[in-house]
Every structure is written in C-alpha cells, then in structure tokens.
Amino acid sequence: MGSLKGFDIDVPRWDQSTFIGRLKHFFNITDCRTVLLPDSRLDEAKALVESCRAGSVPPGTTVEQLHYAKKLYDSAFHPDTGDRMNLIGRMSFQVPGGMAITGFMLQFYRTVPAVVFWQWVNQSFNALVNYTNRNAASPITPKQIGVAYVTATSTALATAVGLNLYTKKAPPLVARWVPFAAVAAANCVNIPMMRQQEILNGIAVTDEDGNTLGHSRKAAVKGITQVVISRVTMAAPGMIILPIVMQRLEKYRFIQKITFLHGPLQVMMVGVFLIFMVPAACSLFPQSCSMAVSKLEPELRESIISQYGGRVSYVYFNKGL
C-alpha cells in the first residue's frame, strides 16, 4: 500500500505521443477477452479506479490489480461520461463482431440480395459503434441518429449494388473488392453524420490542464477526419488482401470441394487481420488530439488570446474512436 501512495491511475502506462506507445495501449484495451466479463466485474474495476482517483486505494491492492482495473475501465466505460458502454459498441468487440460481418460480406458478394443484407448488417453495427464512441460532450437527438443511420446505410447499399452491377464484366477479383469500396464510402458518410452536432456546434476544447476554453468546429472536423481514416485503415488489409488469397485458394480442387467452409474460413482469416488492425488503426492518431490556437476560428482564437494572452498555444480535445 505504501508504494501506491500518490499513484496516478490516469497517467498512461505507455507514451501516448508515439505510435508504439499508443499501439501497446490499444492492444491492451481492445483485448476481446474483456467482452466475456460480467457487468459486476466491470463495475468492480470502475469502483477501484474511482477510489484510486480519490486517493483511497484499498489495503493490499497491487499495482498489477490497478493496471488491470484501468484496462477494464478503459475498455468498457466512456471516457467523457464514465457510463458503461453497450457491449456491441465497444472497441473490444470490434474483433469478434467485425470478423463475422466482414467475413460474410466477402463471402456473399455475388448476388444483390446478399450484398444488400450484409451491407445493412455492417452499417447497423457501424452506426452503433460510432454512436457509442462519439465525443459525448456533444449530444445528438434520436432524429439525427436516425437520419445518420439511413444516410450511411443508403450510401453503402448504393455503392455496393452499383459497383456490383458495374463489375459484372470486370475481372473476378475486382468484384471481390466491391465490399471494401462500399465500407469505405459508408464510413466517409456514417461517422460525420453520426457526429454532426460536433461539426455544426463545435467540439469542446481545453488547455493542457483540462480547463474548457470553448467549442471549435475546426477541431471537430480534424478529429472526425482522423477517425474516418482510422476506420478505413482498420478494414483495408483484410478486405483487400483476403480476396486475393481466396481467389488463389479457390483454384485448388480440395478447396473447391469444401465450399460450405469458405464462409467460416474467411471469418477466421478476417479475425487474424483484425486482431492486429483494430489496435493499429486506433493508434494512428493520439486519442487526445491537439490543434494550434492559430488554426482555430477567429472568434475562439481572439477569446483565448484575450483571456490567456500567449500562454495557451495549443488546445486539446477527445477525437473519439
């Protein structure tokens, strides 16, 4: 207990200013084994984290127990509100959820009804993930959620069905890449639409001590753009490389005989990609995004300068995931 006096549980275990540091952090909190834990265990972890923040660590608690509690807390509770996130929307569910949906999207790409169904399932999953990982300081109404969901799903379906029809005469491999084109196009719509309040009204920005300085639309656009890039990167290797692998494998007679296993095989291979790509994509940009005061909106910039002079040169904000 003596060694834990003054222990700051919110100081990152790894350097968040480097890609490798962020990668270790996200490998830790996107561990899909945490989704198997009951809510009671997660609530215990939250209670331990909060007691540590209050400076009253229970006697006999080890540093390892505190680190594990923080891992569970970060994987299951929203960074802005502290509320427990729904299971399917957590980043730790991205591997099991993503591997199943992506595997079937890659398997059932030939017929329009199958394309429509799996793109709809994927966009429903994405909408829930985007809503769960939004910057919760910017509230969104049920109507806006509905409009965002319908718009993103329509974009995915239009892209997938349009390209599916367009690629009928194209080489077989091109048709296999249609699901990725649809996913990428939908991400470019789904995430900004789901987080439109941030774009319209700005995202809360703070100084390095966490004091709120105002709201910035430019900061919101920067954060959301980074999230879109991360999400497309997360899906890209599996959805681009796997079709090439499957096309090669399907030339072998023994693979041709086990067509019923093609779907499960692709699910498993997507899982291998996602185990590495979910943390890698989340690590591309720092979670706490920064922006120079000189690049903010004129009115916010003038407000910060009049209040703090030249003492604040950068603002910080949670970009979401």
Side-chain angles (χ1 to χ4, degrees), residues 164-209:
N164 198 267
L165 298 172
Y166 180 74
T167 56
K168 290 290 184 205
K169 296 176 183 176
L173 185 59
V174 174
R176 285 179 180 266
W177 280 331
V178 166
F180 174 65
V183 165
N187 269 330
C188 293
V189 174
N190 196 337
I191 297 168
M193 286 293 292
M194 194 59 80
R195 296 177 60 179
Q196 60 189 283
Q197 282 296 95
E198 296 168 47
I199 298 170
L200 295 172
N201 302 323
I203 193 171
V205 295
T206 67
D207 61 17
E208 57 186 5
D209 297 320

Side-chain angles (χ1 to χ4, degrees), residues 54-111:
S56 58
V57 180
T61 306
T62 64
V63 172
E64 288 71 28
Q65 286 172 327
L66 286 176
H67 281 319
Y68 186 65
K70 188 63 163 61
K71 167 182 176 163
L72 297 185
Y73 180 84
D74 287 344
S75 71
F77 294 89
H78 197 283
D80 293 335
T81 63
D83 294 336
R84 190 169 59 240
M85 297 185 284
N86 70 78
L87 177 70
I88 294 171
R90 295 175 200 165
M91 276 295 156
S92 50
F93 194 77
Q94 277 288 298
V95 172
M99 67 190 271
I101 296 169
T102 306
F104 287 121
M105 275 196 297
L106 293 175
Q107 176 62 23
F108 302 110
Y109 67 93
R110 291 183 176 89
T111 67

Side-chain angles (χ1 to χ4, degrees), residues 23 33 80 102 204 231:
L23 186 63
R33 293 173 299 179
D80 293 335
T102 306
R231 291 295 183 81

Side-chain angles (χ1 to χ4, degrees), residues 145-157 186 189-190 193:
I145 293 170
V147 171
Y149 172 62
V150 170
T151 309
T153 305
S154 304
T155 303
L157 295 181
V189 174
N190 196 337
M193 286 293 292

Side-chain angles (χ1 to χ4, degrees), residues 99-100 103 242 262-275:
M99 67 190 271
L242 255 185
H262 288 191
L265 181 64
Q266 295 209 73
V267 168
M268 296 307 294
M269 288 196 287
V270 168
V272 172
F273 276 104
L274 286 180
I275 283 170

Side-chain angles (χ1 to χ4, degrees), residues 86 88-89 94 101 105 116-132 145 148-150 152-154 156-157 186 190 194:
N86 70 78
I88 294 171
Q94 277 288 298
I101 296 169
M105 275 196 297
V116 168
F117 177 74
W118 285 107
Q119 286 293 336
W120 169 73
V121 170
N122 187 53
Q123 284 317 307
S124 301
F125 178 60
N126 279 350
L128 188 54
V129 171
N130 294 339
Y131 175 72
T132 304
I145 293 170
Y149 172 62
V150 170
T153 305
S154 304
L157 295 181
N190 196 337
M194 194 59 80

